[in-house]
Amino acid sequence: MLYLRFFLFVFLFSILQAEVTAQENNFKYEDDYSQFVNNQMELDKIPGLTIGFQHGDQEWVKGFGYIDLENNVEASPTSVYRLASNSKSMAAVAILQLAEENKLELDDPVQKYVSYFPEKKWEIPIRYVLGHLGGISHYKNYEEEGSIKEPKDTRESIEIFADFELVAEPGTEYSYSSYGYNLLGAAIEGAAKTPYGQYMKENIWEPLDMESTYMDDPDEIVPGRAKGYRLVFNELRHSEYVDISSRFAGGGKISSIPDMLKYAEGLNKEKILTGQSTRLMETPMKTKDGEFIGYGMGWRIAPVNGHFMVYHTGAQPETRTILIRFPEKEFNIACAYNFEGGDLNAFPRRLYQLVMDEGWNVKPYTTDKYDKTVIDGLWEIYNYGLAHFERYNTAKSSQENELIQIFEFFNNTFNRNALKEDFDSLKTEIQLGRHPKANMAFVKMGSYMAEQLYEEYGKDQLDEYHKNGAFKFFEDYIQLLESDEDSKFQIDVYIKEQIAEYSSDWSNSWNQYTRRLWIAPHTDLDQQTQEILKLFENKDVYPDFTGELSEAIWKGTLDSEPDDYLKVAQRFTKLYPESAIPQVTLMNLYVLMDKKEEASKALELASEAKTDKNAFSAGHLNSYAYQLFQANKLDKALSYIEFCREHYPEKGIFEDTKGDILLEKSRRAYEKALDLDPTRDNTWEQLKNIE
């Protein structure tokens, strides 16, 4: 009887635990989000994907599609993918651990720990290599260096680039380099006297219970390992086999989404690094002349709606990955899939929208160049200043004299009348306002404003600014000043009026509908554009969805007929009448519909637009032609190239792409000839030359 009672107790307790776990893992919008993922994967032709997030005590992870198409193996929460460049932050953690143990110094030259790496023109401090400021080259010939088939040890991996000249003096120029991180991996071995993989296992993976994380060894049996795929002329094929041991520290690891989330949480909770080292790793580095590069040590750093965020992406044969961390919100997102291409950012950003009820850095659009410059500056003050306050819970500066000078600088540069008199120089000053070159004036101003608003209204009000944007942030600070007329940190009346005008339009166009709006070929673009056209009518400032609409229409066109998107594209030009982007989008459809006269008119209107003029650059247009080429629409690609050549006869880039298209057409013609008559020796020779 006692045994039965004990059994019942254990049984009921297990049910209760299961209910608690289910509650913790419950994701309110799971059905909607799952439908989105399935639609997006179908659009991008992604075979298998796993994504998850951890938010406080809540964790949710789910697999979609297949990690092995031949054997119908479904993706699961524990599927294992190549991490690619998401390996880099782990190498940075190891360097900082060794620095904490006084086994190396960040300002030491890297050769102190890697004696076989040759001396260069300048000394290469470890600190600079961590931020891609070390001058180390990236791949020079990726067709060769990116297709290595044989395994390599650390020394052999370093030999690949050991004789490359530095691309710049260390500290002067950001130059992303996977080779630089391989060099750091060699430094870890030199300082720790331990093989790199062993160090990772003992000091990062095991302490965080990351049981599905390994160095990528093709000979190892790894449960749930995903096979990789790519598109070749719009048909799925296996990825090229590449042994990535030659990228051991820059991109040579495999892992699962739960392990990536454990890693993120481990950093947030200081399980493998001290808080001081973690903060250092997550601080953007700067060049010697005082510009932030948006990269710390193994992490990219960029605020989202005034939230502090660090992230990294990974791209490699067989995989794409992304890991995003909002340390102060205890919110982490990890995503990986077994495909080379696709819109990697779409999956975490849509998830963020639903979980946080916010857009993703949706900036205000306006046609006036003076207003645009002012609004861009207001956004920088809000985004970087509020993110600093969220991160450190204090203003960047509390020095009265310094803050007085900063507010004077703001009042002198953000005035439209002043901008009209000296636009170019004031625009440059505004663009540099958050950088060390300008003494981080905008970060100091924005974080001071956030501190004052926090002290007056509390944390809940700050959360509203993340949702509502820069104008509400400024308006509430201005209102706060009305009760403190003696404040030395005032905003000029004229600028207050400008902000009030911007805010009036924005508050009527940025609402729950636009915050949650997702624009893609698999959404109802016709209805969406009609809705926002009504919403944005008679407004000078409203949300900028030009990039999203342009991409959705173009991607939809690649999979269907351009006529299906013509009305949406025409409506797009009405939504953003002074942007070149909608006109280029419309031009693309007309070219594909073989309406050259209408296409030429759209290109002419694009050239007359006030904003986004880069949209019709030769390089940008050539990218559309190449996408048509890769989508196996060779005749359409050739037609597009001919249109571009007529309007840009002096640009050689179009001739290059035309050559690629004609070469592929020739290859197919020779193959067809050999199918009909395999005895044609000359044709075999021609085909061999092409391949």
Side-chain angles (χ1 to χ4, degrees), residues 337-381:
Y337 54 72
N338 60 339
F339 178 68
E340 300 169 26
D343 186 356
L344 176 62
N345 290 321
F347 300 98
R349 290 185 180 184
R350 182 58 174 161
L351 185 59
Y352 175 92
Q353 265 189 315
L354 296 172
V355 174
M356 300 294 282
D357 189 24
E358 298 176 16
W360 183 283
N361 273 349
V362 178
K363 293 185 179 181
Y365 170 86
T366 187
T367 61
D368 183 275
K369 70 175 183 178
Y370 305 113
D371 285 330
K372 182 178 180 348
T373 302
V374 169
I375 289 170
D376 286 348
L378 295 175
W379 180 269
E380 295 266 283
I381 293 168

Side-chain angles (χ1 to χ4, degrees), residues 83-97:
L83 286 182
S85 287
N86 261 303
S87 300
K88 288 182 171 64
S89 67
M90 294 181 187
V93 167
I95 289 286
L96 289 167
Q97 286 177 337

Side-chain angles (χ1 to χ4, degrees), residues 30-162:
E30 179 171 358
D31 290 344
D32 289 343
Y33 184 68
S34 294
Q35 185 61 54
F36 161 78
V37 172
N38 287 322
N39 289 339
Q40 191 69 31
M41 287 176 67
E42 183 179 358
L43 172 69
D44 287 339
K45 300 177 175 60
I46 297 169
L49 175 149
T50 305
I51 188 165
F53 73 90
Q54 177 262 325
H55 192 201
D57 293 331
Q58 180 186 22
E59 183 169 315
W60 175 87
V61 182
K62 188 172 180 178
F64 298 84
Y66 295 87
I67 57 169
D68 182 345
L69 292 173
E70 289 177 315
N71 298 296
N72 293 320
V73 181
E74 294 183 348
S76 76
T78 56
S79 295
V80 174
Y81 302 84
R82 283 184 167 178
L83 286 182
S85 287
N86 261 303
S87 300
K88 288 182 171 64
S89 67
M90 294 181 187
V93 167
I95 289 286
L96 289 167
Q97 286 177 337
L98 292 166
E100 288 179 353
E101 296 168 7
N102 296 317
K103 291 183 178 179
L104 60 71
E105 297 285 341
L106 296 182
D107 292 316
D108 283 342
V110 71
Q111 287 92 344
K112 181 175 180 179
Y113 308 96
V114 192
S115 59
Y116 51 87
F117 188 71
E119 297 292 329
K120 301 295 180 181
K121 183 177 180 180
W122 298 282
E123 192 173 81
I124 309 168
I126 289 173
R127 183 186 304 274
Y128 282 151
V129 182
L130 283 162
H132 301 289
L133 288 166
I136 306 296
S137 173
H138 198 41
Y139 303 110
K140 282 194 172 184
N141 180 0
Y142 189 77
E143 286 190 10
E144 180 180 330
E145 297 164 48
S147 300
I148 295 171
K149 303 292 190 289
E150 67 279 358
K152 291 189 179 293
D153 61 24
T154 298
R155 189 153 189 159
E156 290 169 334
S157 300
I158 301 302
E159 285 172 356
I160 294 170
F161 64 95

Side-chain angles (χ1 to χ4, degrees), residues 83-97 130 132 176 181 184 188 196 199-200 204-205 210 248-253 260 263-264 267 272-273 277 281-282 295-300 310-313 323-325:
L83 286 182
S85 287
N86 261 303
S87 300
K88 288 182 171 64
S89 67
M90 294 181 187
V93 167
I95 289 286
L96 289 167
Q97 286 177 337
L130 283 162
H132 301 289
Y176 186 86
Y181 266 76
L184 292 174
I188 290 164
Y196 179 80
Y199 185 93
M200 290 286 116
I204 298 177
W205 304 336
M210 296 169 64
F248 69 108
K253 306 172 184 72
M260 291 174 74
Y263 172 61
L267 285 172
I272 51 175
L273 273 184
S277 292
M281 184 170 64
E282 297 166 357
Y295 201 98
M297 298 178 175
W299 293 102
R300 300 189 187 278
V310 299
Y311 75 102
H312 215 293
T313 57
L323 178 59
I324 300 174
R325 297 173 44 232

Side-chain angles (χ1 to χ4, degrees), residues 161-398:
F161 64 95
D163 294 331
F164 290 1
E165 293 298 321
L166 297 184
V167 297
E169 178 186 350
T172 63
E173 183 181 312
Y174 173 80
S175 182
Y176 186 86
S177 172
S178 288
Y179 286 149
Y181 266 76
N182 277 358
L183 193 55
L184 292 174
I188 290 164
E189 290 190 348
K193 311 301 182 188
T194 304
Y196 179 80
Q198 182 181 335
Y199 185 93
M200 290 286 116
K201 182 179 179 182
E202 293 175 355
N203 294 277
I204 298 177
W205 304 336
E206 286 183 346
L208 296 178
D209 296 321
M210 296 169 64
E211 297 177 351
S212 300
T213 305
Y214 316 88
M215 299 303 294
D216 189 351
D217 183 346
D219 292 332
E220 288 287 329
I221 304 299
V222 177
R225 191 202 292 250
K227 288 187 175 181
Y229 301 90
R230 57 180 169 163
L231 280 182
V232 178
F233 291 115
N234 221 32
E235 290 188 7
L236 274 175
R237 293 285 186 266
H238 285 292
S239 293
E240 175 192 5
Y241 171 73
V242 176
D243 187 303
I244 58 171
S245 58
S246 64
R247 316 178 191 192
F248 69 108
K253 306 172 184 72
I254 58 175
S255 187
S256 66
I257 295 303
D259 272 15
M260 291 174 74
L261 293 173
K262 286 178 183 178
Y263 172 61
E265 185 181 24
L267 285 172
N268 294 347
K269 294 188 175 180
E270 302 176 15
K271 291 182 179 180
I272 51 175
L273 273 184
T274 64
Q276 182 178 359
S277 292
T278 305
R279 292 285 173 92
L280 178 63
M281 184 170 64
E282 297 166 357
T283 299
M285 297 182 72
K286 61 184 179 181
T287 60
K288 287 181 176 180
D289 66 353
E291 283 195 42
F292 283 131
I293 60 172
Y295 201 98
M297 298 178 175
W299 293 102
R300 300 189 187 278
I301 299 137
V304 177
N305 306 335
H307 291 300
F308 179 82
M309 179 194 71
V310 299
Y311 75 102
H312 215 293
T313 57
Q316 208 171 61
E318 300 189 16
T319 193
R320 294 292 185 270
T321 66
I322 187 167
L323 178 59
I324 300 174
R325 297 173 44 232
F326 294 89
E328 306 309 316
K329 306 302 290 185
E330 295 184 352
F331 183 29
N332 308 302
I333 303 173
C335 176
Y337 54 72
N338 60 339
F339 178 68
E340 300 169 26
D343 186 356
L344 176 62
N345 290 321
F347 300 98
R349 290 185 180 184
R350 182 58 174 161
L351 185 59
Y352 175 92
Q353 265 189 315
L354 296 172
V355 174
M356 300 294 282
D357 189 24
E358 298 176 16
W360 183 283
N361 273 349
V362 178
K363 293 185 179 181
Y365 170 86
T366 187
T367 61
D368 183 275
K369 70 175 183 178
Y370 305 113
D371 285 330
K372 182 178 180 348
T373 302
V374 169
I375 289 170
D376 286 348
L378 295 175
W379 180 269
E380 295 266 283
I381 293 168
Y382 150 78
N383 207 11
Y384 285 89
L386 188 55
H388 178 92
F389 183 77
E390 179 181 89
R391 178 65 160 161
Y392 299 101
N393 204 33
T394 187
K396 176 74 175 170
S397 174
S398 59

